[in-house]
Amino acid sequence: MKRDLLSLHDLSSDEIHYIIDLALKLKNSNSKTTDHLKNKAVGLLFQKPSNRTRVSFEIAIWQLGGKCLYLAPQEINLGKRESVSDVAKTLSRYLDCIVARTFSHADVVELAENASAIIINGLSDLFHPCQALADILTVKEKFGNKKKALISYIGDGNNVCNSLILACARVGYDLNIATPKHYAPNQGVLDIAHDIAKKTKSTISIFNNPREAVSNADVIYSDVWVSMGQEEEDKKRKKDFKRFQINANLVKYAQPNYIFMHCLPAHRGMEVSADVIDGPNSVVFDQAENRMHVQKAILTFLLASPSA
């Protein structure tokens, strides 16, 4: 039976630790290339353009010995020129795996329900699981096996935040989240994560005050205030998020050796000041590089033959 990766709820804690450890092993290997995906074809079906997701997946697939096919938004026009279910069934006749980057999470679910090919969520409006796994990989790289790293996410309770919640709950990291009112993360995701966190002995706490959320943090994490597709809300969002900028006055409440993370693209002077993102505690480009290593591990976990 095929395994899809639509959200981190699809993976157990042990499986997430396995993927992170495998990503570190692949990253630190003397050889960049393997034949784990030999004779495998992976399609990148994107409704949204991207930099990191596309390039990191294309290079990951190439380094694993597989074939990658990029399907741009205008080529498939998912759900408009052709139904989601018909696209899923057709592409499954050619491809072993589809990485889907969609506006609606419902489209990723419908693809998975109708495809015989493996579906990986490359980003939807609800989840961004590959980003969250790269985030955990980065924290583990910087802090080793420290069990109780405290991550503080400041900003929009969006898809990045939802996946970070599940990731932290699964691996046992404590997570503080500070958002403006009406921008809280998905309540259903929080309910699931709180149940998981009871088993992994982690905490997930919600704040409206960023200063309280970053107190003694090992990691400060931010995302853009206005994501792709939200341009009409630009003026309102900039006003609502103004108190939530990561800057020198805020980071002094974190641990002295804190790291700053951002999934990029970033806007200096908005969600983060330039002195923070370009400063010595910033690891945003290590984090971006880790997208590729963790995606190699995900693809190997889901697609590689047992003998590979």
Side-chain angles (χ1 to χ4, degrees):
M1 184 177 177
K2 69 163 181 160
R3 290 283 303 272
D4 299 310
L5 176 57
L6 307 189
S7 89
L8 293 185
H9 195 39
D10 296 327
L11 298 174
S12 69
S13 295
D14 287 345
E15 287 171 334
I16 289 179
H17 283 298
Y18 172 81
I19 289 170
I20 298 300
D21 290 342
L22 178 58
L24 278 171
K25 182 179 177 182
L26 291 167
K27 181 175 183 178
N28 295 324
S29 171
N30 291 329
S31 174
K32 288 184 177 179
T33 59
T34 73
D35 60 356
H36 291 176
L37 293 192
K38 184 179 179 181
N39 299 324
K40 302 287 187 183
V42 180
L44 305 185
L45 176 58
F46 282 21
Q47 285 184 317
K48 290 181 172 182
S50 80
N51 178 358
R52 278 151 296 280
T53 300
R54 177 182 176 179
V55 177
S56 59
F57 261 113
E58 286 200 11
I59 299 302
I61 293 161
W62 170 70
Q63 291 190 355
L64 293 172
K67 171 69 176 177
C68 180
L69 184 69
Y70 178 68
L71 301 164
Q74 66 273 19
E75 291 181 89
I76 301 297
N77 207 1
L78 187 69
K80 295 180 180 176
R81 192 174 70 84
E82 192 169 5
S83 72
V84 174
S85 61
D86 282 359
V87 170
K89 291 169 186 172
T90 301
L91 292 183
S92 293
R93 299 298 179 101
Y94 312 132
L95 302 169
D96 299 288
C97 175
I98 300 167
V99 178
R101 180 177 168 91
T102 66
F103 286 102
S104 168
H105 190 69
D107 285 344
V108 181
V109 172
E110 190 172 353
L111 280 170
E113 289 174 345
N114 288 278
S116 55
I118 290 167
I119 302 296
I120 295 175
N121 181 358
L123 178 142
S124 69
D125 59 341
L126 186 58
F127 292 118
H128 200 354
C130 300
Q131 178 66 59
L133 289 173
D135 299 338
I136 297 301
L137 170 60
T138 307
V139 175
K140 184 167 184 177
E141 256 189 334
K142 303 303 178 185
F143 293 102
N145 289 318
K146 182 178 180 178
K147 295 289 185 185
K148 277 298 174 187
L150 171 60
I151 300 175
S152 293
Y153 177 94
I154 311 298
D156 193 3
N158 57 12
N159 46 5
V160 171
C161 182
N162 289 333
S163 285
L164 190 64
I165 289 169
L166 291 175
C168 289
R170 285 289 193 208
V171 302
Y173 289 154
D174 293 334
L175 177 63
N176 288 347
I177 301 165
T179 70
K181 288 182 180 179
H182 310 303
Y183 294 94
N186 182 279
Q187 187 59 50
V189 172
L190 282 171
D191 292 342
I192 292 169
H194 281 304
D195 285 341
I196 298 169
K198 290 176 185 173
K199 299 171 187 171
T200 59
K201 302 187 185 307
S202 60
T203 61
I204 300 164
S205 305
I206 306 294
F207 299 83
N208 288 124
N209 185 332
R211 184 175 297 182
E212 293 176 6
V214 303
S215 179
N216 295 315
D218 299 293
V219 180
I220 301 177
Y221 194 134
S222 188
D223 191 8
V224 294
W225 292 343
V226 185
S227 296
M228 198 181 305
Q230 298 173 331
E231 290 80 3
E232 292 184 358
E233 304 172 31
D234 183 89
K235 189 174 179 180
K236 181 177 188 308
R237 280 178 165 265
K238 287 177 180 174
K239 180 180 177 183
D240 292 345
F241 282 89
K242 191 174 181 180
R243 273 195 316 119
F244 292 78
Q245 184 190 72
I246 312 299
N247 54 40
N249 287 331
L250 185 64
V251 300
K252 65 184 180 183
Y253 294 95
Q255 294 284 356
N257 65 336
Y258 86 95
I259 59 174
F260 174 73
M261 296 174 64
H262 192 300
C263 56
L264 302 178
H267 298 94
R268 290 163 176 78
M270 290 181 62
E271 73 271 11
V272 60
S273 59
D275 57 339
V276 171
I277 191 171
D278 298 322
N281 297 75
S282 176
V283 298
V284 298
F285 296 109
D286 294 332
Q287 184 186 2
E289 178 190 336
N290 282 340
R291 290 292 307 276
M292 179 180 68
H293 301 297
V294 86
Q295 280 151 198
K296 287 172 73 173
I298 293 168
L299 290 162
T300 299
F301 173 74
L302 293 174
L303 277 164
S305 64
S307 59

